[in-house]
Amino acid sequence: MATVIGAHNFAALKEVYERPSLRWILQPKMQLAFSGRKMTLQSKSSDEVEGSPFDHKGLLQSPELYQYVLETSVYPREPAPLKEIRAITENHPYFFMGASPDSGQLIAMLLAMLNAKNTIELGVFTGYSLLLTALTIPDDGKILAIDPNLESYEMGLPIIQKARVEHKIDFKHSPALPVLDKLLEDDKNKSSFDFAFVDADKTNYGNYHERLMQLVKVGGLIVYDNTLWYGSVGMPEESVDKLIRPERSYLLELNKSLAADTRIQISQVPLGDGMTICRRLF
C-alpha cells in the first residue's frame, strides 16, 4: 500500500514503541517502565492525569528531573482543557504522537510574545497543540489546521468545542502539501501568517519549509517538532533501529539545511522530542 503524503508512518512507529528491547535506542538517557502498549516514566506524575502517555517525552538525563519540571512548572499552569486532551489521547492507538506539555508551554509563550493572530498548523493529531494555540491567540484569531486523519481530530474536538474556541479553527482534512500549494496561488496569502507549527510527516519537512517561508511573514516563527528524533540524530546509524532510520535521515538533512539557511534565525531546543524554532529574517 502506498504511503499517503502528509501522513505519519503510524504502523512503523507503533511497532517501535511496543518493543521493549528498543528502550535504549529511543530514550538512551531515560529508564522507561513498559505496561502493555503504554509507556510511562517509572516516577509517576502527581498531575491529575497520572500515567499519561505524554510522561515519557523528553530528552533530559533522568526521569526524576523531567518529572520535576512537569510537576513544578508545567502541570500547575496547564489549562484544564489541555489536561483533558492528554487524558483522552491515552486511549488512542497512537497515543505516543501527542505533543508534550513542556513543549506546549514554550509554544504558548512564543505565541504570546509574537501577539500571533493568524497561524497555521501542519499535523493536528488529537489536537493538544491546536487547542493550546486556540486558547492563546485572541478571540478573532485564526488557525489553519491541516491533517489527513479526521478521526484523530474528532477525538479531541468535543474538548475544543467545550472550551469555546472552535470558531478560531479552520480544519482541512487533507495532506498538507496540496493545501500549501493552493494557498501560494493567491499572493494575499504570502507573508500572512504570524506563526507555523509543524508536527507532521518528517519526510516532507524540507518541502514544508520552503512553502512556509513564503507564507510566514518576516519576523514570524516556524516551529518544527521532533527534530532530535528520540535522540537518534546523535547516534551512529548502525545503532539506530531500521524502523526509525528513514525519518532520522530526513531530519538530519533538515537540521543541516536549517543551520545553513541565512533567511532564518534558529534555536534547537531539547524539549519533548526536540523542537527547532525558526524566525524569518527576510
Side-chain angles (χ1 to χ4, degrees):
M1 180 181 295
T3 301
V4 177
I5 295 175
H8 292 278
N9 187 356
F10 290 122
L13 287 175
K14 186 169 187 286
E15 184 175 339
V16 169
Y17 271 86
E18 290 181 340
R19 287 164 61 181
S21 63
L22 298 180
R23 70 183 65 188
W24 297 110
I25 294 174
L26 295 178
Q27 296 285 349
K29 297 181 180 180
M30 297 175 66
Q31 292 280 358
L32 299 176
F34 288 75
S35 176
R37 68 170 180 84
K38 185 163 63 178
M39 295 197 308
T40 59
L41 291 174
Q42 289 177 340
S43 175
K44 287 190 175 181
S45 165
S46 64
D47 181 65
E48 64 187 73
V49 192
E50 186 173 312
S52 163
F54 297 94
D55 289 349
H56 79 273
K57 291 272 187 172
L59 296 169
L60 294 177
Q61 63 184 357
S62 73
E64 292 80 14
L65 183 56
Y66 185 51
Q67 286 304 117
Y68 173 81
V69 171
L70 291 176
E71 294 177 0
T72 304
S73 301
V74 179
Y75 289 150
R77 288 175 173 261
E78 185 182 36
L82 294 179
K83 293 181 186 291
E84 289 187 63
I85 285 275
R86 287 200 289 120
I88 65 102
T89 302
E90 185 173 342
N91 298 314
H92 194 286
Y94 305 109
F95 60 90
F96 49 81
M97 298 185 64
S100 65
D102 51 329
S103 298
Q105 188 178 59
L106 177 58
I107 291 169
M109 181 178 287
L110 294 174
L111 288 164
M113 291 173 67
L114 273 178
N115 293 315
K117 190 173 180 179
N118 192 30
T119 74
I120 185 168
E121 181 162 332
L122 312 186
V124 173
F125 193 45
T126 58
Y128 186 91
S129 56
L130 177 62
L131 176 56
L132 179 146
T133 301
L135 290 169
T136 305
I137 63 175
D139 193 57
D140 60 346
K142 295 296 178 186
I143 310 161
L144 176 58
I146 310 167
D147 200 300
N149 190 323
L150 180 61
E151 184 179 355
S152 294
Y153 171 66
E154 289 181 337
M155 191 171 179
L157 184 57
I159 298 170
I160 292 172
Q161 292 169 334
K162 187 169 71 171
R164 299 184 178 181
V165 291
E166 187 187 9
H167 65 281
K168 303 181 188 182
I169 299 168
D170 178 12
F171 179 79
K172 300 292 186 186
H173 177 211
S174 170
L177 286 176
V179 177
L180 297 179
D181 288 338
K182 185 68 176 177
L183 286 172
L184 288 170
E185 291 176 6
D186 189 340
D187 285 342
K188 73 178 182 182
N189 292 320
K190 295 180 180 179
S191 299
S192 66
F193 291 92
D194 304 304
F195 181 89
F197 180 63
V198 184
D199 186 7
D201 56 314
K202 315 313 167 194
T203 56
N204 267 315
Y205 270 26
N207 292 324
Y208 296 150
H209 183 66
E210 290 309 312
R211 289 158 174 82
L212 290 172
M213 281 296 293
Q214 299 178 66
L215 292 167
V216 171
K217 70 181 185 181
V218 172
L221 298 181
I222 307 169
V223 177
Y224 294 99
D225 200 15
N226 306 114
T227 58
L228 295 179
W229 205 230
Y230 313 109
S232 69
V233 293
M235 302 177 192
E237 184 172 357
E238 60 271 18
S239 300
V240 178
D241 188 87
K242 64 181 180 180
L243 289 173
I244 62 173
R245 284 184 191 176
E247 290 84 358
R248 173 185 176 273
S249 64
Y250 279 99
L251 288 167
L252 284 170
E253 286 302 313
L254 175 81
N255 292 337
K256 199 179 300 181
S257 174
L258 294 179
D261 191 340
T262 60
R263 300 170 297 173
I264 56 175
Q265 177 184 8
I266 69 167
S267 178
Q268 192 166 35
V269 184
L271 284 176
D273 191 26
M275 290 197 311
T276 301
I277 303 165
C278 309
R279 177 174 173 262
R280 184 183 169 190
L281 299 175
F282 60 87

